[in-house]
């Protein structure tokens, strides 16, 4: 399809005619194949992405424990231990999240902080690794493997590894610095002013490796002639990178921005492993899980939190898509 | 209005029926929901009805188990093989990892559950019974009722007064210590709060952590809240609070946290970052003098770490308010339920009838060195000192609670757990009043939303 559009663009006036002729040339069988290839992804997308997303939006207006059906009537106050179930509550779930759910605002704050740390620390760090390795320093392959290793581990495993490092009485750090006695220990994971930063170190440890690999791929693809030309023109290494090479990495940069945003919004495993995302480690994704998965779940309330997360993630995605399409049109 | 929490009055049952009836009229989820009265009627004749339901294969049932750790798995297998030789019912065990099992229980019970499943007593069972996901087993209790004390009977009833659970074991929440430590230092078991604090002070002087403490997993410190509340305000108030009939802003709750504040200097610091296993290890290493936790955790940890369980001993939490003395404690019970959608109800009931006997509990306890059976006057031949003492102590209680997260709505339990972590991080009067107000506000929306 894309090639059709590109071919047509020089002669805009003729485009509709040509396209029709081309379509007409397709046999019935070909049309069926094209339709099939379009329909399958569309159906899958609707069934597994938009269906559940819309269902979450609908559920977020209900109070529902996941047992029985939903009823199109307003909830009645119960007053007792067992509540009215499967009934319509309007925007109550959202109101409760914003005003009467202590972990909510800390979670939003932590998600933002997570994103900032990834943008300000993890990404530049990964870029630095990539540039240094790309210059071919001694043992670059070893560095490359070592730095990439965390990316291959699951975040749950990373959580467990860092638990061993941070554990108060038996952990690596406290033992090495001699702070593992009960009168002087540093509570890395239990102190709410400290634990988010401790976890962010672990998350950055992995994210930097991820970013490094993406940049390395971009740097390898950069035309060496550009670098030579810059050097011939008398640019130093700093100028060569920032003025010449970096601009050619634009597509990689966009990928990395998207990856960074997505990774910081879906951050979950690390904090869930550590303390189910409480006491200073609240994140929106964890709150959604804590409310929906569980013995007696609050599906409606959890869905409302999920919708909040959906809206937040739609912002960067929309910006990205808008930018991308605008550029294509401009060409 | 309080129909769902008491539920024993006849009027309450009537209310529930009409509400359910309304739902049925709406035609939504009618299959999944059942009128409690009707359900009871069904079950009363299911001695015959069960056989037809089972289609003649009443000698074969499936059992959904969350006993996924090696020790309870072995104990459970021993129970089931004993049940087969006794009842002739062949049981196929489907074991699921216990966290997964618990998280999926809602969909499990609504999907295609096994004929029997492992579960917990208390509100945690009543919640599902109330939604019509469990089958009442009153006819089973007609036969096994004499084997159990009243405490066990009450634990097994739903809010509608019907039986839904057959318990297998429970365990007490008590203060553990090493006999050798107490002997070598000449410590004595404290009976009341003043003696307790004095002992803590002495231990601190002796360069020990008085009380090993951990709360990274969120639930362990809830036990401390429970026991302080029961010691200071009594069992009735504690249950009222759990059931939303008392408010978290009450001065009773303030007293609990104030008392806890007094104990704070003697609790192992940095609890929010420590798992309870590590706290138990400080007790094992005799770096800590005492630890308040369930025997199901501490004694089991001693066995896991191959430490000397004969050196381990415990005492009931010291008395605070003389009018309640040491009358109450948390003693969570685990047991078995029959899902509404069970296929072979006749076979399942036969197995339940066997499980509700002394000899079945003995078969289970052969491989369990930390829990105790609930049957009347049971002293299993394999009991160690810990178990003997546990059984005695539980029997002496005027009432036992299940546990903070088993006695109240899970969302409320989570809110309370998180508030307690905040308190542990900053045990000040200002923090206490902040969390009390926040808890009261959350209780309002959780229970009345």
């Amino acid at each position: 399809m894309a090639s059709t559009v590109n071919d047509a663009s020089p002669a805009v006036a003729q485009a509709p005619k040509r396209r029709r002729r081309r379509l007409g040339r397709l046999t019935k069988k070909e049309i069926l194949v094209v339709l099939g290839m379009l329909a399958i992804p569309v159906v899958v997308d609707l069934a597994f992405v938009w269906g559940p997303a819309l269902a979450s939006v609908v559920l977020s207006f209900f109070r529902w424990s996941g047992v029985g059906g939903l009823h199109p009537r307003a909830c009645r106050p119960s007053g007792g231990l067992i509540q009215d179930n499967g009934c319509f509550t309007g925007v109550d779930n959202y109101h409760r999240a914003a005003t009467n759910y202590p972990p909510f605002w800390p979670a939003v704050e932590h998600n933002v902080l997570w994103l900032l740390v990834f943008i300000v620390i993890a990404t530049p760090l990964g870029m630095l690794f990539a540039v240094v390795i790309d210059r071919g320093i001694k043992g670059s392959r070893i560095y490359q493997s070592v730095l990439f290793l965390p990316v291959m581990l699951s975040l749950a495993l990373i959580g467990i590894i860092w638990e061993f490092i941070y554990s108060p009485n038996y952990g690596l750090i406290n033992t090495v610095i001699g702070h593992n006695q009960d009168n002087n220990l540093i509570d890395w994971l239990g102190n709410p002013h400290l634990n988010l930063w401790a976890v962010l170190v672990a998350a950055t440890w992995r994210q930097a490796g991820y970013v490094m690999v993406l940049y390395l791929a971009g740097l390898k693809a950069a035309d060496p002639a550009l670098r030579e030309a810059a050097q011939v023109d008398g640019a130093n290494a700093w100028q060569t990178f920032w003025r010449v090479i970096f601009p050619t990495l634009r597509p990689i940069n966009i990928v990395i921005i998207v990856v960074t945003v997505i990774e910081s919004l879906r951050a979950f495993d690390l904090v869930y492993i550590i303390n189910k995302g409480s006491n200073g480690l609240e994140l929106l994704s964890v709150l959604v899980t804590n409310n929906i998965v569980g013995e007696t779940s609050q599906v409606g309330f959890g869905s409302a939190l999920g919708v909040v997360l959906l809206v937040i993630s739609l912002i960067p995605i929309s910006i990205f898509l808008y930018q991308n399409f605008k550029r294509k049109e401009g060409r | 209005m309080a129909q769902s929490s008491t539920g024993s009055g006849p009027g309450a049952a009537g209310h529930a029926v009409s509400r359910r009836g309304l739902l049925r009229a709406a035609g939504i989820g009618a299959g999944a929901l059942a009128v409690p009265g009707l359900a009871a009627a069904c079950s009363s004749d299911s001695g015959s009805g069960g056989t037809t339901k089972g289609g003649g294969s009443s000698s074969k049932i499936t059992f959904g188990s969350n006993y996924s750790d090696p020790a309870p798995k072995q104990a459970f297998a021993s129970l089931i093989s004993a049940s087969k030789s006794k009842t002739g019912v062949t049981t196929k065990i489907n074991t699921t990892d216990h966290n997964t099992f618990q998280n999926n229980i809602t969909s499990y019970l609504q999907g295609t559950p096994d004929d029997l499943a492992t579960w917990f007593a208390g509100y945690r069972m009543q919640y599902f019974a109330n939604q019509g996901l469990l089958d009442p087993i009153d006819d089973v209790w007609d036969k096994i009722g004499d084997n159990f004390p009243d405490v066990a009977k009450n634990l097994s009833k739903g809010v509608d007064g019907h039986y839904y659970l057959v318990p297998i074991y429970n365990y007490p929440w008590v203060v553990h210590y090493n006999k050798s430590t107490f002997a070598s230092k000449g410590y004595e078991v404290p009976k009341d709060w003043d003696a307790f604090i004095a002992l803590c002070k002495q231990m601190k002087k002796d360069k020990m952590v008085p009380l090993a403490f951990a709360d990274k997993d969120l639930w362990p410190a809830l036990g401390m809240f429970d026991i302080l509340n029961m010691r200071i305000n009594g069992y009735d108030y504690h249950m009222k609070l759990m059931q939303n009939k008392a408010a978290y802003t009450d001065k009773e709750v303030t007293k609990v946290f104030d008392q806890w504040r007094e104990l704070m200097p003697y609790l192992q610091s940095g609890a929010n970052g420590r798992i309870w296993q590590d706290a138990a290890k400080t007790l094992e290493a005799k770096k800590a003098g005492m630890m308040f936790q369930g025997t199901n955790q501490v004694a089991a940890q001693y066995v896991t770490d191959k430490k000397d369980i004969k050196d381990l001993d415990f005492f009931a939490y010291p008395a605070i308010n003389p009018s309640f003395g040491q009358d109450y404690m948390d003693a969570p019970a685990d047991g078995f339920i029959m899902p509404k959608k069970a296929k072979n109800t006749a076979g399942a009931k036969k197995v339940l009838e066997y499980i509700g006997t002394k000899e079945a509990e003995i078969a289970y306890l052969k491989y369990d060195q930390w829990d105790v059976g609930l049957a009347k006057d049971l002293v299993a031949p394999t009991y160690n000192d810990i178990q003997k003492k546990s059984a005695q102590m539980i029997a002496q209680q005027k009432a036992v609670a299940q546990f903070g997260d088993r006695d109240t709505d899970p969302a409320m339990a989570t809110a309370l757990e998180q508030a307690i972590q905040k308190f542990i991080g900053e045990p000040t009067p200002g923090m206490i009043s902040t969390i009390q107000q926040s808890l009261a506000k959350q209780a309002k929306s959780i229970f009345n939303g």
Side-chain angles (χ1 to χ4, degrees):
Chain A
M1 286 308 281
S3 70
T4 322
V5 174
N6 281 347
D7 289 351
S9 51
V12 178
Q14 288 181 353
K17 235 188 204 171
R18 283 178 64 178
R19 200 179 293 158
R20 209 175 301 140
R21 220 186 302 145
R22 282 206 168 182
L23 261 181
R25 245 187 265 148
L26 293 174
T27 64
K28 245 188 191 157
K29 204 175 154 193
E30 282 170 331
I31 290 175
L32 277 178
V33 169
V34 168
L35 280 180
M37 289 172 99
L38 276 175
I40 292 168
V42 166
V43 167
V44 169
D45 196 37
L46 284 178
F48 295 108
V49 178
W50 289 105
L54 283 177
S56 299
V57 174
V58 172
L59 281 172
S60 73
F61 296 107
F62 284 84
R63 164 185 272 271
W64 189 42
S65 69
V67 179
L70 294 174
H71 319 292
R73 58 163 177 79
C75 287
R76 306 185 195 97
S78 76
L81 195 55
I82 311 260
Q83 307 139 33
D84 200 3
N85 184 27
C87 49
F88 184 75
T89 61
V91 294
D92 258 18
N93 288 328
Y94 294 95
H95 184 252
R96 187 180 146 203
T99 61
N100 193 15
Y101 187 56
F104 179 74
W105 289 111
V108 173
E109 198 182 296
H110 297 161
N111 267 112
V112 172
L113 200 63
W114 202 285
L115 178 65
L116 287 179
V117 167
F118 270 15
I119 290 175
V120 176
I121 297 172
T123 306
L125 199 63
M127 197 197 286
L128 181 74
F129 290 155
V131 171
V132 170
I133 285 171
D134 188 52
R135 291 178 66 94
I137 57 162
K138 227 181 198 175
S140 65
R141 273 178 196 280
I142 294 173
Y143 288 119
Q144 195 176 329
S145 317
V146 167
L147 291 169
F148 188 62
L149 198 65
V151 186
M152 297 193 289
L153 303 176
S154 77
L155 275 165
L157 195 57
I158 289 175
I160 293 167
I161 291 172
W162 284 83
E163 265 198 310
F164 288 135
I165 294 173
Y166 285 131
S167 160
N169 297 93
Y170 303 97
L172 178 71
I173 298 180
N174 279 359
T175 310
V176 166
I177 64 175
H179 277 266
N180 60 346
Q181 296 307 309
D182 282 305
N183 49 12
N184 68 357
L185 57 80
I186 303 173
D187 194 359
W188 294 105
L189 297 178
N191 182 341
H193 304 293
L194 205 60
N195 55 10
L196 186 67
W197 299 105
V199 169
L200 279 170
V201 168
T204 304
W205 177 67
R206 177 181 184 272
Q207 181 71 7
Y210 195 3
V211 170
M212 175 196 78
V213 169
L214 292 174
Y215 268 122
L216 265 181
L219 286 170
K220 290 266 190 299
D223 190 350
L226 281 174
R227 195 170 296 175
E228 278 164 32
Q231 272 158 4
V232 167
D233 286 348
N236 61 27
W238 185 255
Q239 286 168 325
T240 309
F241 179 74
W242 284 111
R243 301 270 176 83
V244 180
I245 304 295
F246 189 70
T248 65
L249 294 177
R250 193 187 156 106
I252 296 283
N253 284 332
I254 287 171
V255 169
I256 283 175
I257 291 170
V258 174
V259 164
T260 304
V261 172
I262 290 173
E263 287 287 322
S264 53
L265 284 173
R266 67 176 208 138
F268 170 79
D269 323 44
L270 271 178
V271 298
Y272 197 76
I273 286 285
I274 285 164
N275 65 359
K276 294 212 173 150
S278 67
N279 189 40
L281 292 183
E282 294 87 353
L283 289 176
L284 281 173
S285 55
V286 176
L287 299 187
V288 174
T289 312
N290 282 350
N291 280 291
I292 290 183
V293 179
E295 277 174 53
T296 52
S297 39
Q298 310 185 71
V299 179
F301 185 60
S303 299
L305 297 171
V307 171
V308 171
L309 190 57
L310 175 72
V311 170
I312 294 176
S313 39
L314 278 178
I315 296 169
I317 291 169
S318 316
I319 294 173
F320 168 68
L321 288 179
Y322 177 72
Q323 290 276 339
N324 235 8
F325 280 114
K326 204 172 79 176
R327 205 158 359 96
K328 280 222 175 105
E329 274 165 26
R331 236 179 233 165
Chain B
M1 292 315 288
Q3 103 271 0
S4 36
S5 40
T6 53
S8 46
H15 190 110
V17 169
S18 71
R19 185 166 71 94
R20 287 278 162 72
L22 209 101
L23 301 189
R24 284 163 68 93
I28 302 158
L33 297 165
V35 182
L38 284 181
C42 285
S43 72
S44 64
D45 65 7
S46 69
S48 55
T51 15
T52 32
K53 227 174 157 185
S57 63
S58 72
S59 58
K60 235 177 175 178
I61 66 161
T62 60
F63 208 133
S65 162
N66 66 348
Y67 295 163
S68 52
D69 293 337
K73 198 173 177 181
Q74 196 181 12
F76 186 59
S78 152
L79 171 72
I80 292 307
S81 74
S83 139
K84 190 183 180 228
S85 62
K86 208 73 199 169
T87 60
V89 178
T90 311
T91 305
K92 185 173 171 281
I93 305 174
N94 296 324
T95 307
T96 314
D97 163 69
H98 56 88
N99 280 332
T100 313
F101 186 88
Q102 270 156 249
N103 284 339
N104 291 335
I105 186 73
T106 304
S107 42
Y108 171 77
L109 290 175
Q110 290 185 94
T112 49
D114 299 295
D115 297 317
L116 289 174
T118 52
W119 201 238
F120 313 99
Y123 174 79
R124 251 178 167 173
M125 170 271 290
Q126 295 171 339
Y127 174 87
F128 293 103
N130 201 64
Q131 308 203 52
L133 294 176
L134 308 183
D135 232 357
I137 47 171
D138 294 346
D139 46 348
V140 172
W141 273 89
D142 286 342
K143 291 183 184 147
I144 64 171
D146 291 339
N147 302 342
F148 288 97
D150 285 346
V151 183
K153 285 183 190 160
N154 288 332
L155 290 177
S156 310
K157 282 181 195 165
V159 288
D160 57 4
H162 292 291
Y163 286 100
Y164 290 96
L165 179 106
V166 173
I168 180 79
Y169 63 75
N170 63 357
Y171 59 91
W173 272 69
V174 284
V175 185
H176 295 83
Y177 66 92
N178 292 306
K179 286 178 198 162
S180 55
T181 309
F182 271 49
S184 68
K185 308 265 173 163
Y187 299 147
E188 270 175 39
V189 168
K191 287 268 179 253
D192 60 17
W193 186 257
D194 290 341
F196 190 42
I197 294 289
L199 177 61
C200 287
K201 276 188 180 147
Q202 187 56 43
M203 284 180 173
K204 227 178 173 179
K205 250 188 225 157
D206 294 340
K207 301 263 183 285
M208 242 188 290
V209 178
L211 284 151
F213 189 45
D215 193 35
K216 187 147 119 1
D217 319 87
L218 283 153
W219 55 267
L222 207 49
M224 187 71 87
F225 179 86
D226 289 350
I227 194 69
L228 286 172
N229 198 17
M230 284 189 272
R231 286 285 180 267
I232 298 168
N233 303 312
Y235 174 81
D236 290 338
Y237 178 81
H238 178 62
M239 291 318 282
K240 268 193 200 161
L241 186 68
M242 293 290 111
Q243 294 168 354
N244 193 36
K245 287 180 218 156
Y248 279 93
T249 38
D250 290 350
K251 62 177 189 320
E252 280 87 348
V253 179
T254 319
K255 270 196 227 160
V256 169
F257 282 111
D258 280 342
Q259 197 90 17
W260 196 338
R261 222 153 57 83
E262 208 184 309
L263 196 63
M264 219 60 212
Y266 311 111
L267 290 170
Q268 194 172 12
S269 61
N272 283 342
R274 185 182 299 111
I275 52 174
W276 67 261
Q277 288 90 338
D278 281 354
K281 281 188 170 73
T282 33
L283 183 71
E284 285 171 359
K286 293 169 191 173
K287 282 187 199 158
M290 302 176 279
M291 178 169 175
F292 175 69
Q293 186 109 8
T295 56
N296 179 285
Q297 289 99 40
V298 178
Q301 189 67 30
Y302 267 65
V303 173
T304 309
D305 293 346
K306 302 201 167 50
K307 297 284 168 184
D308 185 12
I309 197 167
K310 290 205 178 81
D311 194 30
L312 184 70
D313 201 353
F314 61 80
F315 55 87
Y317 204 85
I320 298 172
N321 182 345
S323 45
F324 300 117
Q326 294 178 312
D327 292 346
Y328 316 113
M329 63 166 54
D330 271 334
D334 295 355
F336 307 105
I337 51 173
M338 185 162 89
K340 187 94 222 164
K341 289 191 162 182
K343 286 181 199 79
N344 184 355
T345 52
K349 281 181 180 178
K350 260 193 206 166
V351 172
L352 283 180
E353 278 162 21
Y354 170 71
I355 288 174
T357 61
K358 241 186 211 182
E359 54 169 320
E361 294 195 341
I362 290 171
Y364 181 89
L365 290 163
K366 225 190 286 175
Y367 295 99
D368 180 323
Q369 299 174 58
W370 41 86
D371 298 308
V372 290
L374 280 98
K376 239 186 238 173
D377 309 318
L378 173 81
V379 183
T382 51
Y383 271 2
N384 57 24
D385 290 346
I386 297 277
Q387 287 168 307
K388 281 179 196 153
K389 198 167 173 179
S390 300
Q392 261 173 15
M393 201 173 265
I394 292 172
Q396 284 164 5
Q397 301 300 306
K398 284 195 180 150
V400 293
Q402 285 302 292
F403 194 71
D405 63 3
R406 298 187 182 199
D407 286 327
T408 191
D409 185 281
M412 195 61 230
T414 307
L416 181 55
E417 284 169 349
Q418 290 176 349
I420 289 172
Q421 277 195 336
K422 283 212 177 78
F423 167 76
I424 293 170
E426 195 189 324
T428 61
M431 178 56 86
I432 293 173
S433 93
T434 308
I435 62 179
Q436 277 188 281
Q437 272 157 22
S438 162
L439 282 173
K441 217 171 133 195
Q442 289 182 74
K444 222 173 174 181
S445 80
I446 287 170
F447 289 107
N448 300 325

